[in-house]
Amino acid sequence: MTDSLTTPPTPQTTSASDADTPAEARTLTRHVKIGRVVVLINPLSGSVGPKAPAEVEAIMAEYDCEAEVVILGDGQIDAQIDQALSSSPDVLFVLAGDGTARAVASRAGAKGALIVPLPGGTMNMLPRALYGTADWKIAMRAALEQGEAQFVSGGTVAGQAFYCAAILGSPALWAPAREAMRTGKISLAWAYGRRAWRRAFSGRLRFSLDGGDRRKTEALVLISPMISRALDEPVGLEAAAMDPGDTSQAFRLAATALFSDWRSDASVTTQPARLIEVWGRSKIPAVIDGEPVLLGSEAKVTFMPKAFRALAPNPDPAADADAAT
């Protein structure tokens, strides 16, 4: 066990490598060498729970590799992420919220350790896209046993990375209401809903794609090639402009933008772009990989063709894809 990730006086690190390797260890993936693994866990996140550290240790004990489990603590998470990356693991698992997974991936970058963002948050957009499940145990075993090194593309908006989708404009205002409703905070959800309704059509966005003419839209959705159904190759972000005709239609479109596929909607037009500039009359509400944020009145979005390397099963193993080495 490596002590460098322990922050006294409160123990932050336990180890899954102290136990002897089982006589018949489960087989690790043949596509990459896995000698040492670090697993970052936030038991307070979304669907993780207090039993997760012990469950992770039990799973890792079945594989012939060194594994270290780090319990993320309040006020220490940034430092713990940096320490984990600086220890140069072959694979870094993240069982935490969506924001923590994005932070780890963005810091690792295209040349860092292989990242496995497990579904431990609320929306789990990135883990679902990579592993096709909301069960972190299934995703963990899939990465360990079938994973390949794969580049994940994405984008940045106002300095914040995203790997699935960013929603800019009034539909993003419905995300806090939805989250409050999910957690049973009915009065807060009502307040957020009223605010979103009042702000609908209060200020349209202006945007430009790859230096083109400025256009107006109610909302702009930017989708990574990893989850886009319109892009076969990572040539850019799929930029979808939403232009509902009235407030009731905006409400419907906001729901479909956040919960389902909306490309068949007649008020939506899409095209790929690598540089997107957006302007608003006031601060721009946004949802970045499922997390609500408030941007300035101007925002620049850039495409990252190779944002970070993930360890994940190849969705098309027969394809002669560019290996992430």
Side-chain angles (χ1 to χ4, degrees):
M1 180 175 70
T2 302
D3 294 331
S4 61
L5 296 181
T6 303
T7 305
T10 302
Q12 298 295 321
T13 304
T14 58
S15 177
S17 60
D18 293 338
D20 293 334
T21 302
E24 294 184 3
R26 294 178 67 118
T27 303
L28 289 166
T29 177
R30 62 182 176 81
H31 299 291
V32 298
K33 179 182 178 181
I34 301 179
R36 181 170 178 274
V37 169
V38 173
V39 186
L40 301 179
I41 303 178
N42 186 349
L44 301 179
S45 293
S47 56
V48 179
K51 296 181 181 180
E55 292 172 330
V56 167
E57 290 181 354
I59 291 174
M60 291 307 308
E62 300 175 13
Y63 297 89
D64 187 12
C65 62
E66 176 189 351
E68 183 174 12
V69 178
V70 180
I71 310 302
L72 297 175
D74 289 340
Q76 305 175 42
I77 293 178
D78 288 342
Q80 289 174 309
I81 292 173
D82 290 339
Q83 290 170 6
L85 289 170
S86 66
S87 69
S88 300
D90 296 309
V91 185
L92 181 56
F93 287 79
V94 186
L95 182 54
D98 302 316
T100 302
R102 286 197 297 119
V104 173
S106 64
R107 294 185 191 188
K111 297 182 180 180
L114 291 168
I115 305 299
V116 179
L118 298 172
T122 52
M123 294 193 72
N124 299 313
M125 294 181 68
L126 182 57
R128 284 178 181 272
L130 287 169
Y131 307 104
T133 178
D135 187 321
W136 67 262
K137 296 176 186 178
I138 294 176
M140 188 174 206
R141 291 193 185 280
L144 288 167
E145 299 179 9
Q146 306 164 36
E148 300 182 30
Q150 301 183 38
F151 278 117
V152 176
S153 57
T156 61
V157 51
Q160 299 187 57
F162 66 93
Y163 307 104
C164 293
I167 302 174
L168 282 65
S170 61
L173 292 167
W174 294 99
R178 184 218 54 184
E179 184 64 16
M181 183 66 74
R182 186 193 67 81
T183 56
K185 300 174 182 178
I186 306 302
S187 59
L188 185 60
W190 177 254
Y192 281 136
R194 291 183 63 188
R195 184 189 68 175
W197 190 270
R198 288 196 304 266
R199 288 197 56 180
F201 297 100
S202 63
R204 292 167 64 81
L205 297 178
R206 287 172 173 77
F207 70 98
S208 172
L209 303 180
D210 291 328
D213 295 337
R214 290 193 184 189
R215 296 156 55 187
K216 294 181 180 180
T217 186
E218 176 65 22
L220 189 66
V221 182
L222 304 164
I223 307 101
S224 162
M226 181 173 63
I227 65 170
S228 172
R229 299 180 185 180
L231 300 177
D232 295 326
E233 299 292 336
V235 295
L237 298 169
E238 180 189 0
M242 297 181 171
D243 290 296
D246 54 40
T247 304
S248 61
Q249 188 183 13
F251 182 87
R252 172 185 55 76
L253 189 54
T256 57
L258 292 169
F259 304 118
S260 64
D261 186 39
W262 33 260
R263 291 172 184 82
S264 60
D265 196 291
S267 62
V268 177
T269 59
T270 70
Q271 71 179 79
R274 301 177 72 90
L275 174 63
I276 302 95
E277 296 177 275
V278 185
W279 301 266
R281 293 180 181 176
S282 59
K283 291 185 177 180
I284 302 170
V287 175
I288 299 176
D289 275 359
E291 297 209 350
V293 299
L294 191 61
L295 307 175
S297 59
E298 297 182 10
K300 181 179 293 186
V301 185
T302 57
F303 173 59
M304 297 186 295
K306 295 181 178 180
F308 73 96
R309 297 190 308 151
L311 180 67
N314 192 334
D316 186 10
D320 185 17
D322 181 23
T325 56

